[in-house]
Amino acid sequence: MQRFLAGLVVALAIVLIGYISLFSIWTNTNEFDSYALTGRLADELEYLTGTNDHRFLEAEDAARAGGWQSNQKPTLNLGNRSEGAWVRFRVENRSPEPLERLLMVDWSYHLIEARVFDRANGQWSAPVHTGNFIEHSQRGIASPVLALPITLPSGPAEVYLRLESQLPLILPMRMVDRETFHREALYDYLRMGAFFGAMLVMMLYSASLFIFIRDRSYIYYCCYLAAIILYVGSIYSYGSYFLWSEWPWFNLRVDFLSIGLAFLSACVFERQFLNIKSEGRWLERCINMIIFYWSSVVLVSLLFPQYAYELFIEEAGALTCIVMLGIAFIIWQRGNVSAGYFFIAWLCLVTSTFFLMLAMSGVLSMNFAIRAAQLLGFILEFLLLSIALAERISRERASRMEAQKALLVVQEQNTKVLEKKVALRTRQLEEANRELLHLSTTDPLTGLNNRRGFEEKFDEALELSLEKSVPLAFLMIDIDHFKAINDTHGHNVGDECLALVGKTLVHYCQGDNAFAGRLGGEEFATVFYGLSSERAEAMAERIRTAIAELIVATTGEPIWFTVSIGVATGLAHLDDTLPTFAEEADKSLYQAKLQGRNRVVLSVRQEREERLRPISSTLFDDNPMLPAK
């Protein structure tokens, strides 16, 4: 990108230099253009300063006294002269008849007054006037192009001009006939119309972009465009002719005011567009000092225009251009592409203005090409600045898109991480809930279901029994003489007995067809799903036998203990509940206690026995804990 911008700089510089050179050769505007007139105006000019109160006769008397000075430069430049100046040149009409010519001045003046002195007859012509302070009807030629109609008598004559302007007294002039004037005025109208039209289009377009984008660079860009339009309208006299000719207060101040506003808006735009605040404190101080100076110029031009001459505006303008170019170049070298566009845009303007300054200083001849080159420089500058603004928007949009993509990637990654965390936390919560449910349904001493857990599982078994018509075997188990064990050996031994019973029941209740629980104290219950009464009784006997063989170690002699088991088997009825089976099994347990304990008593409804056997003979045969058929 930097190589491209550098190449663009060279190309635009070549275009400007070639344009100025070709038109300088093609248009030799200082030459007399009539076959009857000879010489060059610039070589014939003489000037007289410090004579603001002179009249034409007094100026002619000063000429006899030798107070006039000869011009030695291609273009007369008297600098800032608040008192004005007189200029004269000699001309000889070799034709026998008077010739009418138009004296065109390509600069801005408040007042130009002209008279012709016929040396042969010693007579003065009537005065003619033009300038920004002269009403349209009082001008010699009613046109924004400053021109004076003069009639040259046959033979030698002298043309006297009285000049007044706020700007430096520069006198690029040419003498043409009316046909040439009208043709050149038409070209000038077209050129200026194209310039103002292009500037207004860019300003309106940028204003519309500011409305939609809300980027302050666009509003500063519009202000800069408006200031340049005001400057060109003032310098080329179009504004005073078409817009503010009836406003003498503004007309008196507009020249320096337009220059101050142009530089001020350019500096403010550069500070905002290049974001100089972020580029370093010393760069920001430089641009702020320049902004302060041109703000002062604007205030002085508005309030005290008579002192504007003393502000060294020409020198300050040259220094401002150098500083602004330097700041843009430094920021460009730091990698800011927008600064490269700004540097090239300003280089185009400074290049065209440089030739204008050379012409103003008298090094070059002031002509149409040099003045038009500055207009071309303005248009190129603002076109490049428009491209720079569009490029910055595109770059910022691409940057935002990249940032959005990166943000989406980060969001997706964060979402995945969050989903993993949520899933992990969900699993942890599920495990915690299962653990909590297990704790809430498990007896901590024996590891069996507590009463709540036992009831929940029994309800599931009861529903399955009703659905599939398979029997349930309910075993009510009670430790014999448990109170005596506690009283004799202590509660620790009693707890050990309870834990051993729990381990034994867990051993015999493996699989999904059986479960056990501690109902309270030394009372336990076991349910087997799908066992016939014979197998249920055999299972109960095996459990009783296994418990009777358990040994509990104590501080003294080891002890043994036994259990009594009541068994209730059968198909479930619709009105059956846990208490229904528990009551039947408890009755059988009570019978076992009455019969001497350490035994199993079975309770079976005989009318259902035949239905139970064929079903139980095919269910759960693969359980190793179940008794053989």
Side-chain angles (χ1 to χ4, degrees):
M1 177 59 71
Q2 291 188 353
R3 291 181 179 178
F4 168 75
L5 293 178
L8 188 59
V9 170
V10 175
L12 292 176
I14 293 174
V15 169
L16 281 173
I17 294 173
Y19 169 82
I20 294 171
S21 301
L22 288 175
F23 273 85
S24 297
I25 296 172
W26 182 44
T27 310
N28 191 358
T29 56
N30 274 335
E31 291 186 358
F32 287 66
D33 63 344
S34 171
Y35 69 92
L37 304 175
T38 60
R40 290 172 56 86
L41 290 180
D43 298 336
E44 300 290 338
L45 289 181
E46 293 179 328
Y47 61 91
L48 182 66
T49 60
T51 57
N52 190 36
D53 56 346
H54 280 16
R55 297 292 180 263
F56 280 96
L57 293 178
E58 297 171 337
E60 202 273 336
D61 291 339
R64 294 191 184 97
W68 291 77
Q69 302 180 52
S70 298
N71 175 46
Q72 303 297 328
K73 298 180 180 180
T75 300
L76 177 65
N77 184 353
L78 301 180
N80 290 315
R81 301 280 181 176
S82 58
E83 72 278 8
W86 289 84
V87 173
R88 72 172 185 175
F89 60 90
R90 297 178 179 85
V91 64
E92 181 178 357
N93 179 8
R94 296 181 178 180
S95 67
E97 301 294 332
L99 292 177
E100 183 187 40
R101 288 292 181 265
L102 297 180
L103 190 63
M104 297 180 63
V105 179
D106 293 326
W107 198 249
S108 176
Y109 280 92
H110 291 172
L111 170 66
I112 303 178
E113 185 179 9
R115 293 185 73 176
V116 178
F117 180 67
D118 186 347
R119 297 181 65 183
N121 300 323
Q123 295 180 351
W124 288 92
S125 67
V128 289
H129 306 82
T130 190
N132 299 336
F133 281 10
I134 306 301
E135 295 182 3
H136 300 174
S137 60
Q138 300 298 321
R139 295 190 181 189
I141 296 293
S143 169
V145 179
L146 301 184
L148 294 162
I150 59 175
T151 301
L152 301 175
S154 178
E158 293 177 349
V159 179
Y160 283 78
L161 303 175
R162 185 162 66 93
L163 309 174
E164 292 183 9
S165 177
Q166 281 186 325
L167 298 175
L169 297 182
I170 301 173
L171 194 61
M173 62 181 179
R174 47 210 164 110
M175 190 178 294
V176 297
D177 55 25
R178 283 190 176 271
E179 181 181 355
T180 303
F181 169 78
H182 289 304
R183 183 175 65 252
E184 292 193 9
L186 176 61
Y187 292 156
D188 197 73
Y189 293 155
L190 293 175
R191 180 174 66 252
M192 297 306 295
F195 173 81
F196 287 121
M199 300 291 279
L200 287 173
V201 166
M202 286 189 286
M203 186 172 70
L204 293 175
Y205 177 70
S206 299
S208 64
L209 288 178
F210 170 74
I211 294 174
F212 291 104
I213 300 176
R214 296 295 179 182
D215 186 343
R216 286 190 297 177
S217 297
Y218 278 98
I219 198 64
Y220 292 137
Y221 179 69
C222 291
C223 293
Y224 184 23
L225 278 164
I228 294 301
I229 291 174
L230 178 65
Y231 166 77
V232 173
S234 171
I235 297 299
Y236 284 78
S237 302
Y238 276 75
S240 61
Y241 188 83
F242 290 106
L243 298 178
W244 51 78
S245 60
E246 304 298 328
W247 302 345
W249 181 90
F250 185 73
N251 211 359
L252 180 64
R253 293 164 171 78
V254 67
D255 290 336
F256 286 121
L257 178 63
S258 64
I259 294 173
L261 288 175
F263 278 107
L264 176 61
S265 59
C267 294
V268 173
F269 171 73
E270 182 182 30
R271 183 178 64 178
Q272 171 67 25
F273 179 63
L274 301 183
N275 193 17
I276 295 178
K277 184 177 181 180
S278 64
E279 295 294 338
R281 184 66 61 89
W282 69 277
L283 290 178
E284 183 184 10
R285 287 177 179 174
C286 287
I287 198 70
N288 286 340
M289 290 175 61
I290 297 175
I291 289 174
F292 175 78
Y293 170 80
W294 289 110
S295 299
S296 303
V297 170
V298 171
L299 290 177
V300 172
S301 300
L302 285 173
L303 302 178
F304 310 103
Q306 66 273 19
Y307 298 111
Y309 295 98
E310 302 177 7
L311 294 177
F312 304 101
I313 291 179
E314 292 184 31
E315 295 79 1
L319 180 62
T320 299
C321 292
I322 294 173
V323 173
M324 292 181 67
L325 281 173
I327 291 175
F329 184 78
I330 291 172
I331 299 176
W332 180 18
Q333 293 304 305
R334 293 178 180 177
N336 190 327
V337 180
S338 298
Y341 282 103
F342 187 90
F343 177 80
I344 296 174
W346 256 81
L347 191 61
C348 291
L349 177 60
V350 169
T351 301
S352 60
T353 306
F354 174 73
F355 286 98
L356 180 64
M357 298 298 292
L358 291 178
M360 289 173 60
S361 63
V363 176
L364 297 178
S365 175
M366 179 74 75
N367 54 39
F368 157 77
I370 290 180
R371 295 201 73 196
Q374 190 181 42
L375 299 181
L376 178 61
F378 280 127
I379 293 177
L380 288 176
E381 176 197 14
F382 285 103
L383 282 175
L384 286 172
L385 291 179
S386 298
I387 295 172
L389 285 167
E391 185 275 336
R392 193 185 73 168
I393 291 176
S394 176
R395 181 158 38 85
E396 290 178 351
R397 181 179 299 173
S399 178
R400 286 195 298 269
M401 292 295 293
E402 292 296 328
Q404 289 177 355
K405 290 180 181 179
L407 181 60
L408 287 175
V409 172
V410 172
Q411 287 179 342
E412 290 178 357
Q413 293 175 349
N414 291 338
T415 301
K416 292 179 179 178
V417 171
L418 183 60
E419 288 176 351
K420 290 180 180 179
K421 290 183 177 179
V422 170
L424 177 61
R425 184 58 57 88
T426 301
R427 288 195 300 269
Q428 291 174 346
L429 289 175
E430 290 176 351
E431 292 175 359
N433 289 332
R434 285 194 295 269
E435 182 66 20
L436 183 61
L437 179 62
H438 176 72
L439 292 175
S440 66
T441 58
T442 302
D443 178 64
L445 179 60
T446 62
L448 301 176
N449 295 298
N450 59 14
R451 178 176 288 276
R452 176 184 173 184
F454 185 82
E455 289 177 353
E456 292 177 357
K457 290 194 173 182
F458 183 83
D459 290 340
E460 296 175 1
L462 185 63
E463 183 179 353
L464 190 60
S465 176
L466 290 171
E467 181 182 350
K468 296 188 176 181
S469 297
V470 293
L472 293 179
F474 192 100
L475 281 64
M476 186 71 76
I477 304 168
D478 186 82
I479 299 177
D480 298 328
H481 304 295
F482 184 72
K483 185 176 182 304
I485 295 174
N486 279 335
D487 293 341
T488 304
H489 303 282
H491 288 283
N492 289 336
V493 175
D495 290 344
E496 182 67 20
C497 295
L498 295 174
L500 290 174
V501 172
K503 290 182 179 180
T504 303
L505 294 180
V506 168
H507 177 72
Y508 283 96
C509 293
Q510 297 179 11
D512 297 332
N513 62 320
F515 57 91
R518 181 185 177 192
L519 303 184
E522 70 277 14
E523 190 173 60
F524 299 84
T526 304
V527 174
F528 291 93
Y529 173 76
L531 286 184
S532 63
S533 56
E534 292 87 352
R535 299 183 68 185
E537 184 178 13
M539 176 61 74
E541 186 62 32
R542 293 177 63 179
I543 292 173
R544 183 196 65 78
T545 303
I547 293 174
E549 295 176 351
L550 296 174
I551 300 175
V552 181
T554 64
T555 56
E557 295 292 331
I559 65 170
W560 290 265
F561 65 95
T562 61
V563 295
S564 299
I565 302 176
V567 182
T569 63
L571 287 173
H573 296 273
L574 292 176
D575 55 350
D576 278 337
T577 58
L578 175 60
T580 304
F581 276 87
E583 184 179 358
E584 294 183 9
D586 195 57
K587 289 179 180 179
S588 299
L589 176 62
Y590 182 71
Q591 292 296 324
K593 293 287 187 180
L594 289 179
Q595 295 177 14
R597 296 182 173 83
N598 192 20
R599 63 187 65 244
V600 175
V601 174
L602 175 66
S603 173
V604 181
R605 297 176 185 178
Q606 295 298 324
E607 66 273 10
R608 297 186 178 181
E609 182 70 14
E610 294 300 325
R611 293 173 53 198
L612 295 176
R613 288 177 179 173
I615 296 174
S616 61
S617 63
T618 59
L619 290 175
F620 310 108
D621 291 339
D622 56 343
N623 190 335
M625 296 297 106
L626 295 179
K629 296 181 182 179

